[in-house]
Amino acid sequence: HRVKGMLAMAGPDIHSGDLGEASILDLAPTVGVLLGLPGQADYDGSILGKALVKKPDRSSSANNHNPQSGSPGEKAYSQEEEEAMRSKLQGLGYI
């Protein structure tokens, strides 16, 4: 493990260039806002705003949908898939 690291990001919502100083704690809120997930203000890190084309609102939940689903409100997994995952997580002792 080293104190300094490297982050590479690409895509239509990403600016190119040097981000300057950042922390590993900044990754979760930055990726969360790119995925349109709510609750970024709950994270310890900061959104890497210099990397993003649009400046995000940390507290906004306007984009509260599953990015893997087709539209807001649509579930990403079927009931059977959710039950299978729950059973597997219980078997592993997570829930």
Side-chain angles (χ1 to χ4, degrees):
H1 294 79
R2 301 186 189 256
V3 173
K4 301 272 183 181
M6 184 187 88
L7 169 66
M9 297 175 19
D13 296 326
I14 306 297
H15 278 298
S16 62
D18 186 354
L19 298 177
E21 292 292 318
S23 165
I24 195 166
L25 297 175
D26 300 335
L27 295 179
T30 302
V31 171
V33 80
L34 286 169
L35 294 174
L37 301 174
Q40 304 316 309
D42 297 335
Y43 288 102
D44 289 334
S46 299
I47 296 169
L48 297 172
K50 288 173 67 175
L52 307 179
V53 171
K54 292 188 287 183
K55 299 303 174 209
D57 176 6
R58 284 181 73 116
S59 62
S60 175
S61 61
N63 295 326
N64 188 10
H65 74 279
N66 187 323
Q68 296 177 353
S69 66
S71 62
E74 183 180 332
K75 285 189 153 192
Y77 301 103
S78 70
Q79 183 67 31
E80 294 82 21
E81 290 170 322
E82 286 185 19
E83 289 172 7
M85 282 188 283
R86 181 173 286 112
S87 176
K88 189 168 199 162
L89 290 171
Q90 285 174 334
L92 294 169
Y94 289 113
I95 55 175

